[in-house]
Amino acid sequence: MCNEDLIDSLKEVISGLITHADEVRLKFNDVEESHREGNLDRQELADLNQAIHLVERDSAAFEKIFGG
């Protein structure tokens, strides 16, 4: 028998992870392009750091759901 709350939690975390992984890729591409142009600034690195933090938060949610 399936636990509906667990399934709903997983769907929510998976959706967030997909969105945040896409954000990490986009931010990385921005940082890479700026680096190539010699225009890498602190804000771009901060934005990338924030995107990485969101993926880490999603990972922690998986750990919590699965009791890790």
Side-chain angles (χ1 to χ4, degrees):
M1 192 184 282
C2 291
N3 180 333
E4 290 296 321
D5 291 336
L6 175 62
I7 292 171
D8 289 342
S9 293
L10 286 172
K11 286 179 180 179
E12 185 177 325
V13 173
I14 290 168
S15 176
L17 180 59
I18 291 167
T19 299
H20 298 144
D22 288 344
E23 288 178 27
V24 168
R25 173 52 58 199
L26 291 172
K27 297 294 180 189
F28 176 81
N29 288 343
D30 290 345
V31 167
E32 185 178 44
E33 182 65 23
S34 291
H35 181 270
R36 206 179 353 234
E37 294 173 353
N39 298 325
L40 184 61
D41 68 10
R42 194 163 181 81
Q43 185 58 50
E44 287 175 313
L45 292 176
D47 291 346
L48 179 59
N49 184 54
Q50 178 62 28
I52 291 168
H53 171 72
L54 294 173
V55 171
E56 290 171 337
R57 186 187 71 190
D58 297 336
S59 297
F62 274 116
E63 287 178 347
K64 182 178 180 183
I65 289 169
F66 290 113

